Amino acid sequence: MNYFTKRQRSRRRIAFLRQAAILAVIFLLLHLLDKPLYLLIESRGLGHEGKDRNEGKDWYDLLHITGSLLTWAVICSAIVLHDRRVVFARKAWRVYRRGVLIFASAVAGGIVTELGKVLIARERPSNHGGDYHFRPIFSSLLDSGGLGLPSSHAGVAFGGAAMLAMFMPGAGVIAMALAVGCAISRMLTSAHFLTDVFLGAVLAMWTAKLLYRAFGPDRGPDGSVANARARLG
C-alpha cells in the first residue's frame, strides 16, 4: 500500500488532470493525421497487400506478437521462476508480485481497450477507405470484430511494457520499444488509425500505473520504496 499526505494527493490529482488535458489535445490533433497516413500507407503498397508480404517475416511477427497475451504469459512465467529463486519473503505474494502484476497489466490493457471499442464503436480504417464510420453504441457488445478504436494489440503491448518498465527500468526500455513497434505494425497493415493505437497505449499505461500504485512495492510518505527488498518482492 502507498501512503501519501493530503497535500501530496491534491498535487497528484492536479498533475493527473493536467496530463489528461494535454493527452486529450494531442489525441484531437492526431485526428488530422489519420486519413493522410492511411492513404500514404496504401499508396506505398502496404496496407492489406503489405500484410500478405510481411506475415512470416521475423521482424513483423516479433512486433505483432508483442500485442499477444501469450507472449506476456511466457515473459511473466520466466520472471516468476527467476524471482522464486532470488526473493525471500514471508508472503508468497511478494515473491510472485512482479510476474503476476506485469501479466495482469497486459490483461487489463486488453480488457480496457476492448471495452473502449464497444463504447466508441468506430470501425477500422480499411473498412471505409480511411473515413471514419461509427456503429450504433452497444451494437457490437457481443462481437467487437471490425472495430478499431482503441487498439487492443496496443493495449496489451503497452500494458505489459509499462508495468515491466516500472519494475525493471532497463528492460522496460526494450519492452516499450517493442510496444511502439507493435503499434506501428498495426498501422502498416491498415488495421488501425494513428489515433487507435495512441488511445490504446494511453489507456493501457494509465491502467498499469493504477495497478502499480495499488499493488506495487510499498512506499512511504516521501514516495520512496519502503525497502530495497520490496523492489523485487
Side-chain angles (χ1 to χ4, degrees):
M1 182 179 294
N2 298 324
Y3 301 92
F4 299 100
T5 64
K6 185 177 181 180
R7 176 175 293 182
Q8 286 176 321
R9 289 195 295 270
S10 177
R11 288 178 177 175
R12 293 171 77 88
R13 282 194 295 270
I14 293 173
F16 171 79
L17 292 174
R18 184 184 298 115
Q19 184 183 59
I22 293 172
L23 289 173
V25 171
I26 294 174
F27 178 69
L28 292 174
L29 291 176
L30 290 180
H31 279 83
L32 300 175
L33 298 176
D34 273 346
K35 188 167 184 178
L37 281 176
Y38 169 81
L39 295 176
L40 176 63
I41 289 170
E42 290 292 328
S43 69
R44 295 301 178 94
L46 299 173
H48 286 296
E49 296 179 8
K51 181 179 180 181
D52 295 335
R53 291 199 303 269
N54 291 328
E55 282 186 340
K57 293 184 178 179
D58 292 343
W59 68 268
Y60 176 84
D61 291 341
L62 173 64
L63 297 178
H64 183 74
I65 65 172
T66 306
S68 167
L69 286 177
L70 181 60
T71 300
W72 288 102
V74 173
I75 292 172
C76 295
S77 296
I79 293 173
V80 166
L81 292 174
H82 170 269
D83 288 351
R84 279 189 63 187
R85 298 179 62 87
V86 301
V87 178
F88 300 94
R90 294 179 181 179
K91 297 180 180 180
W93 161 241
R94 293 184 180 276
V95 176
Y96 303 119
R97 175 157 47 189
R98 290 201 306 181
V100 170
L101 277 182
I102 292 170
F103 184 68
S105 184
V107 172
I111 292 175
V112 168
T113 48
E114 282 295 325
L115 289 175
K117 283 183 181 180
V118 173
L119 292 173
I120 301 172
R122 190 174 81 184
E123 295 193 0
R124 298 182 186 275
S126 56
N127 293 358
H128 300 278
D131 293 324
Y132 293 153
H133 181 81
F134 295 85
R135 299 178 188 174
I137 190 170
F138 298 127
S139 63
S140 302
L141 187 60
L142 299 179
D143 181 15
S144 62
L147 298 179
L149 179 65
S151 166
S152 54
H153 270 80
V156 170
F158 279 93
M163 184 65 77
L164 192 150
M166 284 184 270
F167 278 111
M168 295 177 280
V173 173
I174 297 175
M176 291 298 289
L178 288 173
V180 171
C182 177
I184 293 174
S185 74
R186 301 303 289 158
M187 292 173 58
L188 290 179
T189 57
S190 295
H192 288 287
F193 286 116
L194 175 60
T195 49
D196 294 348
V197 296
F198 176 79
L199 184 59
V202 169
L203 291 176
M205 289 191 288
W206 268 351
T207 303
K209 194 170 185 178
L210 290 174
L211 286 174
Y212 187 79
R213 287 181 181 176
F215 304 106
D218 296 340
R219 294 176 180 270
D222 61 350
S224 61
V225 177
N227 54 67
R229 183 171 293 174
R231 293 185 182 274
L232 290 178

